[in-house]
Amino acid sequence: MRLEDYNPLEDRSFSILDPDGEIINEKDMPDFTDEELLYLYKTMLYTRIIDEKALSYQRQGRMLTYAPNTGQEAAQVGSAYAMKEEDWLVPAFRELGAWLVKGVPLKNIYLYWYGNEWGSYMPEGVRVLPISIPIASQLQHAAGIGMANNIKGEKSVAVGYVGDGGTSEGDFHEALNFAAVFKAPVVFFIQNNQYAISTPRSIQTMSKNLALKAVAYNMPGILVDGNDLFAVYVATKEAIERARNGEGPSLIEAYTYRLGAHTTSDDPTKYREDEEVEKWKNKDPILRFKKYLKKKGILTDEWEEKTIEELEKEVMETFESIENKSDTEIDDIFKYHYETMPPHLEEQLNEYKAFLEGGK
Amino acid sequence: MRLEDYNPLEDRSFSILDPDGEIINEKDMPDFTDEELLYLYKTMLYTRIIDEKALSYQRQGRMLTYAPNTGQEAAQVGSAYAMKEEDWLVPAFRELGAWLVKGVPLKNIYLYWYGNEWGSYMPEGVRVLPISIPIASQLQHAAGIGMANNIKGEKSVAVGYVGDGGTSEGDFHEALNFAAVFKAPVVFFIQNNQYAISTPRSIQTMSKNLALKAVAYNMPGILVDGNDLFAVYVATKEAIERARNGEGPSLIEAYTYRLGAHTTSDDPTKYREDEEVEKWKNKDPILRFKKYLKKKGILTDEWEEKTIEELEKEVMETFESIENKSDTEIDDIFKYHYETMPPHLEEQLNEYKAFLEGGK
Amino acid sequence: MANTLNIVQAINQALMEEMENDETVVVYGEDVGLEGGVFRATVDLQKKFGKERVFDSPLAESAIAGTAVGMAINGLKPVVEMQFSGFVYPAFNQIISHIARMRNRSRGRYNLPMVIRTPYGGGIRALEHHSESLEAVFAHIPGLKVVIPSTPYDAKGLLIAAIRDPDPVLFWEPKRIYRAFKQEVPEGAYEIPIGKAKILQEGDDITIVTWGAMVRDVQKAVDLIKDEGIRPEIIDLRTISPMDRDSFVESVKKTGRILVVHEAPKSFGTGAEIISIVNEKAFLYLEAPPTRLTGFDTTFPLPRGEKHYIPSPERIAKTIVDVVRY
Amino acid sequence: MANTLNIVQAINQALMEEMENDETVVVYGEDVGLEGGVFRATVDLQKKFGKERVFDSPLAESAIAGTAVGMAINGLKPVVEMQFSGFVYPAFNQIISHIARMRNRSRGRYNLPMVIRTPYGGGIRALEHHSESLEAVFAHIPGLKVVIPSTPYDAKGLLIAAIRDPDPVLFWEPKRIYRAFKQEVPEGAYEIPIGKAKILQEGDDITIVTWGAMVRDVQKAVDLIKDEGIRPEIIDLRTISPMDRDSFVESVKKTGRILVVHEAPKSFGTGAEIISIVNEKAFLYLEAPPTRLTGFDTTFPLPRGEKHYIPSPERIAKTIVDVVRY
Ligand SMILES: Cc1ncc(C[n+]2csc(CCOP(=O)(O)OP(=O)(O)O)c2C)c(N)n1
Ligand SMILES: Cc1ncc(C[n+]2csc(CCOP(=O)(O)OP(=O)(O)O)c2C)c(N)n1
Ligand SMILES: [Mg+2]
Ligand SMILES: [Mg+2]
């Protein structure tokens, strides 16, 4: 595939693996080892298990608001797997699979959704920005990281994630424009999961697809089957290498579907039909990957069972390790606003502690 | 011409009248009467005289900051002439010719640049919004006016103006997107005069032209020779009628040049070459219109001389009518923040008046 | 006829009735149409008034505010929703540069009868940016009105007044108490005047000024110390700007003491403005330092820390006693 | 070695020297490169350090601020310019939602050594939005620092401190006095600490707190009444947030009186915060009502009205006398 040759105005989706697990585009099929294939499959399973557990904890009142990823695993895992360690991941908030690939510990992720800022403290060497809630605003950070790489002569690339809804924000436009003007090594990755909360993609924009918005910035844009890990990987890989080689930014639209709710506060039956959801279940990214692995003879039932068991155990243990032990230290509320705490904050902290100590 | 058939990705400019005053596109030539042609010519002359006088007043210290329009008369006059009385003009700040066509009295315009808010008080029936300084923000008002027309079932159209620099702002993106999504009767009109203060168009965006940004919103976009009044008129007229007929918004890029400074505070020799300016002087929109009229035998030297004399007299009288008589009334500073002045404002006003009366 | 409604329901009823009464009222914003808003404040409006007048917008706050300017100039009364007050900021330029200024800029030629509604405040164990209380930022901008109701009855009457106001009103809704309690709310339109505070309880030992969700916390605090023999005067400010200065100035002339309670950060907050006004208008009556009890000058913490942030009834109670005993 | 410089030149020198000293410093914004900024504060920087480190950006304030976040995370120290403080608002979301919060959000993992410079304030007979003084809006946001110099010497030292600060600093430059006077400014780097006010003149009759362009007006006012036998203490706040509270609290303990002079609108302004702090920390020392003399709660008028807006030395003088004679 050559990204530049792909014309998003033609509104064709780039794909490799079909919902039945068949390779329909041998030419572009990436050259993964069996180990890699199993790693990718395992990571998608991990993602889904984390999701399922989080939802069940939430229902049990043990977890707070959580934004599920089910259905979007290929888009997340496939794109992040195309990144190198030195590349920067700039997420929105629904990028679980990408975080895991990039080395964010599950503990951080759960801690975050459990309501503790320490979840956003990334381990050394993990070039991942914290979750960014204000929609599309993070794309500007990705553009800036890329611009800095150019200035410093560094060869790393920033991958900025955004949702379909996020493409309507002014920041989306400005970030793509800056990245293009400064030929910044950035990949803008849209997870088009068809909805922004209850608002369908058709209300966000009249443009036929979101990838073609690249044209306005004279950068390559490509629409990929977001439930096809291979296609996502190949497109992202090429966009990243292109950026790394000094050829500037690109835009990828991963066409996918959020099978679950927007967050645990959301009831999707209010705004969409069951049939639609069913239709998309047949396109499940994990299922088709599994079919492919099975056909290739790489995946055994035993491996899968054992893996799921291990992962479930790990997920539960991780959650339990933070549950009820993650109340925020009072000092932590104050300590991280400035390198040195200014007197008025110190005073407020001390007064509050004195109040707590004074009983009541 | 059919707007939909024009493809801005091909980067061809739509034109009718060439710099030598020849009609190079008979097919699209609008059907103006001689009277109309003379009116349009006169209005462009008026625009230029207003500019020249303002600049000379400014140099004499009799005028404040002023944003000149010289070179952009065809883009302004041609586009506004395509509007009906019921249509709304939503300007940035460099739309002198358009204001005049739409019925804004010169007195208002001079009063504004003279530093008095009453300049923005439009006469009854003149559907023109005040000058909007924050770049591109006014396009959202145009979109909203259009959306309201749809809701109310009214057939009027909003024409929103913006500069080339303004296309980089997030508000540009959001306004076009809203207008497209709600099929609002709006025409977005870019005066691409090649510069945003000192910043050349090439630094604003990598896209080949600005008209093609329409593609991202699935609306028609057209690049026109902005120094060709006929082309500007025809394209705007069609975009307006299209909007009026419920077919939604379009984007027009009028390719033109600011022959003068950005404002009277600016020194363009700091950022551009004389040759460039000379080149564009040969494309002067008024000159080519004059050549055309002369060839057609519509324009006589006597008419032109007399007209210029009359216009100069009117411009000078208008300026003199406001000069030194337009200090802001103290009450006016307070009176127009709310329909009813709240007590704290009343108090501040009274205190201040008391101070002034108390001498010192 | 009256119904027993909570705040969200009262807001919904106000919108219903004003849309019925005045066909120029339109409602839009993110997810307000089909689903009726993430807090269901606009529920059933689209069903009743159709997609022309009640609709979902693309995800772009600046455009939501900015198109409302155009609509208001063109004869409509837009009532737009920002999903959370923490997401108003992309619209800041439209609010400060145009919404606050259009009447003054045009010397009264164009006024903007529009309302921006948004849920504000913390205490719902939410994600980052979902707990903001930055009313003071907007109150500092000349040309805006900032209104915050604290009860269902007030919410309806103030919202109707806001919709009918010929000038733009920012209507900040205390989401923590959206469903906290119900109250008799009469059917049919009534207005509660913008710019008028309400004395909730008369007293002459201390003046307590508060608004929004803190009103109930103050009431709880007062209840906690009811045996201390303190008679506080409690004022619900209801409008942050323009402020009903007389309400607390007159009260302080009686009590000599004032405590302002708000959940926004302390520094440069509304408390500072109130205290300054008291200094200007009732200095000689002051018997104790005018006091603020507020959120910290920190970002609102994520849920595991939020209990520390909002002044609790216990802290309020202690502060009341401290000020009175000064 | 020292040169005689005005404020713009001092700012330019600070940028020159810090770019020389530290190759991670980069400068960008609208028109700052080739032409050196509309006020020429960045003139010659591009010539000296090249287009990689000093460049013109597209016209988009949110992206200017937002890309600076990314740059700062990725090891640079961006010093970006907003052309006028009235055009910072499109960047408000980036400033409030990210710039103020990144350190806290990431528990110190990511800090943002970045500076946003912008000319602020009125009095230059400019168009709408070119005369804004909304420092209080930003000072209310936890996590930001807001610095305002009033002299060439301070401008250089404070800007260098801001560039070296590991946290984001909003650096608001009083454009009215950009070229009003010159001062000896030493060559070579020196820092003036952020968060420290400066006592310009000692006195024990009244404390006057001010900053930016108003400093000179206050000095003129004091000069106007020099025969009245009043000895004012004049404090140049220099940092609006975090504020040097001790400076004026200690002063008020001596003088018993305080006047805050600023050109921003009165209500919800910085004056209110200062007065509240004085109430909290020096209540018993107060002998007269703490007073504000400020811009009106109106939009800054276009040039034909602007002379009324900014408190004149005469009004300041009269107010000083009023407060002292109270
Ligand atoms: C600026 C801003 N406005 C509104 C919101 C509230 N909000 C949270 S998620 C969301 C929808 C996002 O849709 P999309 O970009 O498609 O991402 P998805 O949730 O589908 O992953 C909205 C409106 C927000 N977080 N930020
Ligand atoms: C939001 C905003 N940022 C910056 C400015 C300062 N400014 C005034 S005009 C201008 C350039 C505008 O360029 P363009 O849009 O091409 O219009 P032109 O001046 O060429 O007509 C700038 C940056 C502004 N007015 N508003
Ligand atoms: Mg989505
Ligand atoms: Mg231009």
Side-chain angles (χ1 to χ4, degrees), chain D residues 118-129:
Chain D
T118 192
Y120 92 100
I124 60 157
R125 297 159 70 83
L127 297 172
E128 203 188 343
H129 309 285

PDB file of all heavy atoms in Angstrom, chain D residues 118-129:
ATOM      1  N   THR D 118       1.752  38.167  26.285  1.00  0.00           N
ATOM      2  CA  THR D 118       0.782  38.938  25.512  1.00  0.00           C
ATOM      3  C   THR D 118       0.734  40.376  25.994  1.00  0.00           C
ATOM      4  O   THR D 118       0.846  40.630  27.201  1.00  0.00           O
ATOM      5  CB  THR D 118      -0.624  38.293  25.563  1.00  0.00           C
ATOM      6  OG1 THR D 118      -1.458  38.917  24.585  1.00  0.00           O
ATOM      7  CG2 THR D 118      -1.291  38.440  26.919  1.00  0.00           C
ATOM      8  N   PRO D 119       0.590  41.316  25.065  1.00  0.00           N
ATOM      9  CA  PRO D 119       0.419  42.710  25.465  1.00  0.00           C
ATOM     10  C   PRO D 119      -1.000  42.911  25.977  1.00  0.00           C
ATOM     11  O   PRO D 119      -1.949  42.414  25.369  1.00  0.00           O
ATOM     12  CB  PRO D 119       0.606  43.490  24.153  1.00  0.00           C
ATOM     13  CG  PRO D 119       0.870  42.487  23.086  1.00  0.00           C
ATOM     14  CD  PRO D 119       0.574  41.145  23.613  1.00  0.00           C
ATOM     15  N   TYR D 120      -1.134  43.602  27.092  1.00  0.00           N
ATOM     16  CA  TYR D 120      -2.471  43.787  27.647  1.00  0.00           C
ATOM     17  C   TYR D 120      -2.682  45.252  28.036  1.00  0.00           C
ATOM     18  O   TYR D 120      -1.741  46.024  28.137  1.00  0.00           O
ATOM     19  CB  TYR D 120      -2.684  42.876  28.881  1.00  0.00           C
ATOM     20  CG  TYR D 120      -2.326  43.554  30.176  1.00  0.00           C
ATOM     21  CD1 TYR D 120      -3.315  44.107  30.997  1.00  0.00           C
ATOM     22  CD2 TYR D 120      -0.997  43.696  30.556  1.00  0.00           C
ATOM     23  CE1 TYR D 120      -2.976  44.767  32.165  1.00  0.00           C
ATOM     24  CE2 TYR D 120      -0.663  44.351  31.715  1.00  0.00           C
ATOM     25  CZ  TYR D 120      -1.656  44.893  32.523  1.00  0.00           C
ATOM     26  OH  TYR D 120      -1.315  45.555  33.673  1.00  0.00           O
ATOM     27  N   GLY D 121      -3.947  45.595  28.258  1.00  0.00           N
ATOM     28  CA  GLY D 121      -4.277  46.910  28.798  1.00  0.00           C
ATOM     29  C   GLY D 121      -4.634  47.933  27.741  1.00  0.00           C
ATOM     30  O   GLY D 121      -4.359  47.759  26.546  1.00  0.00           O
ATOM     31  N   GLY D 122      -5.258  48.994  28.205  1.00  0.00           N
ATOM     32  CA  GLY D 122      -5.793  50.002  27.291  1.00  0.00           C
ATOM     33  C   GLY D 122      -4.931  51.245  27.223  1.00  0.00           C
ATOM     34  O   GLY D 122      -3.792  51.279  27.684  1.00  0.00           O
ATOM     35  N   GLY D 123      -5.531  52.245  26.595  1.00  0.00           N
ATOM     36  CA  GLY D 123      -4.853  53.531  26.562  1.00  0.00           C
ATOM     37  C   GLY D 123      -4.009  53.757  25.335  1.00  0.00           C
ATOM     38  O   GLY D 123      -3.208  54.699  25.307  1.00  0.00           O
ATOM     39  N   ILE D 124      -4.155  52.917  24.321  1.00  0.00           N
ATOM     40  CA  ILE D 124      -3.369  53.173  23.113  1.00  0.00           C
ATOM     41  C   ILE D 124      -4.280  53.488  21.917  1.00  0.00           C
ATOM     42  O   ILE D 124      -3.882  53.321  20.772  1.00  0.00           O
ATOM     43  CB  ILE D 124      -2.420  52.002  22.785  1.00  0.00           C
ATOM     44  CG1 ILE D 124      -3.212  50.692  22.559  1.00  0.00           C
ATOM     45  CG2 ILE D 124      -1.392  51.777  23.885  1.00  0.00           C
ATOM     46  CD1 ILE D 124      -2.440  49.698  21.713  1.00  0.00           C
ATOM     47  N   ARG D 125      -5.498  53.937  22.203  1.00  0.00           N
ATOM     48  CA  ARG D 125      -6.422  54.347  21.145  1.00  0.00           C
ATOM     49  C   ARG D 125      -6.582  53.266  20.089  1.00  0.00           C
ATOM     50  O   ARG D 125      -6.482  53.506  18.884  1.00  0.00           O
ATOM     51  CB  ARG D 125      -5.927  55.646  20.487  1.00  0.00           C
ATOM     52  CG  ARG D 125      -5.899  56.816  21.469  1.00  0.00           C
ATOM     53  CD  ARG D 125      -4.959  57.936  21.017  1.00  0.00           C
ATOM     54  NE  ARG D 125      -5.452  58.652  19.851  1.00  0.00           N
ATOM     55  CZ  ARG D 125      -6.329  59.649  19.877  1.00  0.00           C
ATOM     56  NH1 ARG D 125      -6.839  60.058  21.026  1.00  0.00           N
ATOM     57  NH2 ARG D 125      -6.720  60.249  18.785  1.00  0.00           N
ATOM     58  N   ALA D 126      -6.874  52.088  20.564  1.00  0.00           N
ATOM     59  CA  ALA D 126      -6.892  50.939  19.661  1.00  0.00           C
ATOM     60  C   ALA D 126      -8.314  50.503  19.347  1.00  0.00           C
ATOM     61  O   ALA D 126      -9.289  51.003  19.903  1.00  0.00           O
ATOM     62  CB  ALA D 126      -6.124  49.792  20.289  1.00  0.00           C
ATOM     63  N   LEU D 127      -8.410  49.536  18.454  1.00  0.00           N
ATOM     64  CA  LEU D 127      -9.697  48.958  18.085  1.00  0.00           C
ATOM     65  C   LEU D 127     -10.250  48.103  19.226  1.00  0.00           C
ATOM     66  O   LEU D 127      -9.564  47.855  20.221  1.00  0.00           O
ATOM     67  CB  LEU D 127      -9.503  48.093  16.834  1.00  0.00           C
ATOM     68  CG  LEU D 127      -9.034  48.853  15.586  1.00  0.00           C
ATOM     69  CD1 LEU D 127      -8.696  47.866  14.477  1.00  0.00           C
ATOM     70  CD2 LEU D 127     -10.120  49.818  15.112  1.00  0.00           C
ATOM     71  N   GLU D 128     -11.480  47.633  19.029  1.00  0.00           N
ATOM     72  CA  GLU D 128     -12.083  46.774  20.040  1.00  0.00           C
ATOM     73  C   GLU D 128     -11.204  45.537  20.290  1.00  0.00           C
ATOM     74  O   GLU D 128     -10.537  45.066  19.366  1.00  0.00           O
ATOM     75  CB  GLU D 128     -13.484  46.329  19.571  1.00  0.00           C
ATOM     76  CG  GLU D 128     -14.374  45.921  20.741  1.00  0.00           C
ATOM     77  CD  GLU D 128     -15.701  45.278  20.328  1.00  0.00           C
ATOM     78  OE1 GLU D 128     -16.115  45.411  19.177  1.00  0.00           O
ATOM     79  OE2 GLU D 128     -16.311  44.620  21.197  1.00  0.00           O
ATOM     80  N   HIS D 129     -11.230  45.034  21.516  1.00  0.00           N
ATOM     81  CA  HIS D 129     -10.497  43.820  21.935  1.00  0.00           C
ATOM     82  C   HIS D 129      -8.993  44.055  22.062  1.00  0.00           C
ATOM     83  O   HIS D 129      -8.262  43.118  22.339  1.00  0.00           O
ATOM     84  CB  HIS D 129     -10.710  42.649  20.960  1.00  0.00           C
ATOM     85  CG  HIS D 129     -12.126  42.363  20.665  1.00  0.00           C
ATOM     86  ND1 HIS D 129     -12.953  41.736  21.561  1.00  0.00           N
ATOM     87  CD2 HIS D 129     -12.883  42.633  19.573  1.00  0.00           C
ATOM     88  CE1 HIS D 129     -14.159  41.622  21.020  1.00  0.00           C
ATOM     89  NE2 HIS D 129     -14.150  42.161  19.832  1.00  0.00           N
TER      90      HIS D 129
END
